[in-house]
Amino acid sequence: VKPIKDLSQASQKIAQGDFNRQVQAPNIRELSTLAHSFTQMSQELQQSRQKLEDYSQSLEQTVSNRTQSLEQEIQRRAAAEIALQSANQELQQLAYLDGLTQIANRRQFDECMAQEWRRLKRDHLPLSLILCDVDYFKQYNDAYGHQAGDDCLRRVATAIAATARRSPDLAARYGGEEFAMLLPNTSLEGALEVARQIQIHI
């Protein structure tokens, strides 16, 4: 009976994961064959467990490397998206700002004019527009040179833009030495006051 109990205990240890236990072979031939089978099974299970652990570690390392690679790719794409947004903003500024005076250009003025016209027409509100140019600019430009002429245009643009105190107001270079001020929801009296302020700043 003792060899059978030993085999039973050994099989229980193997079932619990103790694969290092060697099953003693009893003198009984049938039990000795069974003990040898238990030992062989224990060794095979131990090898299988080691292979699974190795594979698990390899898989974890692969997943870790892949995760790190994906995180780097996400960071790279996020940086590229930020750079793209910045480039788009810069392009939009270039498309809607006058390069010399850094105020709105004709394109932005035309779009804002059309938009405000539709909006204020729908709401039955006034829209004022001031158009002005620099008198004798050609003579000034010819006499003092293009650099002085450009400086003059920048000064005029700065003076006009300084009077655009509300966010809907738009100061724009209409073309050449011509400038425009778009004043949504502004009455005639308000527009005249803005024109006086432009004269004061200039």
Side-chain angles (χ1 to χ4, degrees):
V1 176
K2 185 178 182 304
I4 295 175
K5 287 184 177 180
D6 291 341
L7 286 174
S8 176
Q9 290 176 356
S11 66
Q12 290 177 6
K13 292 293 184 181
I14 293 172
Q16 293 171 1
D18 184 5
F19 302 126
N20 295 319
R21 175 176 290 275
Q22 295 292 324
V23 182
Q24 297 298 324
N27 294 328
I28 304 172
R29 186 167 58 88
E30 289 80 0
L31 294 181
S32 177
T33 302
L34 185 59
H36 177 72
S37 298
F38 276 152
T39 301
Q40 185 177 2
M41 179 182 65
S42 176
Q43 292 174 351
E44 290 176 357
L45 287 173
Q46 186 175 9
Q47 291 175 358
S48 297
R49 169 175 278 189
Q50 186 61 45
K51 287 181 181 179
L52 284 173
E53 289 178 354
D54 293 343
Y55 178 74
S56 177
Q57 292 178 356
S58 174
L59 185 61
E60 287 178 0
Q61 186 63 42
T62 301
V63 171
S64 176
N65 293 340
R66 182 59 177 163
T67 301
Q68 185 177 2
S69 177
L70 286 173
E71 288 176 351
Q72 292 175 350
E73 179 67 15
I74 290 172
Q75 292 176 356
R76 187 187 68 80
R77 291 191 179 188
E81 185 176 350
I82 292 173
L84 181 61
Q85 290 176 352
S86 177
N88 285 335
Q89 290 176 355
E90 186 175 351
L91 285 173
Q92 188 172 6
Q93 288 182 348
L94 291 174
Y96 287 99
L97 286 183
D98 178 64
L100 176 65
T101 62
Q102 295 302 301
I103 63 174
N105 60 12
R106 176 69 177 271
R107 174 185 296 175
Q108 186 176 0
F109 171 81
D110 289 341
E111 290 186 7
C112 287
M113 178 70 176
Q115 180 180 350
E116 292 296 341
W117 179 269
R118 289 191 298 269
R119 181 178 70 85
L120 296 171
K121 182 180 179 182
R122 182 186 67 241
D123 297 337
H124 303 287
L125 295 172
L127 173 64
S128 293
L129 172 64
I130 299 174
L131 288 174
C132 56
D133 63 0
V134 180
D135 291 340
Y136 309 109
F137 177 76
K138 186 178 185 307
Q139 291 89 328
Y140 179 87
N141 195 57
D142 292 342
Y144 297 101
H146 292 293
Q147 187 171 354
D150 290 347
D151 185 57
C152 172
L153 293 175
R154 281 192 287 266
R155 288 172 177 265
V156 171
T158 300
I160 294 175
T163 62
R165 297 174 182 174
R166 304 176 310 166
S167 57
D169 297 344
L170 180 71
R173 185 181 179 192
Y174 196 72
E177 74 277 14
E178 297 176 336
F179 295 88
M181 174 72 83
L182 191 64
L183 302 168
N185 195 16
T186 303
S187 64
L188 175 60
E189 291 77 12
L192 290 173
E193 178 59 29
V194 172
R196 281 191 288 269
Q197 290 299 320
I198 292 175
Q199 290 175 326
I200 292 172
H201 280 86
I202 292 177

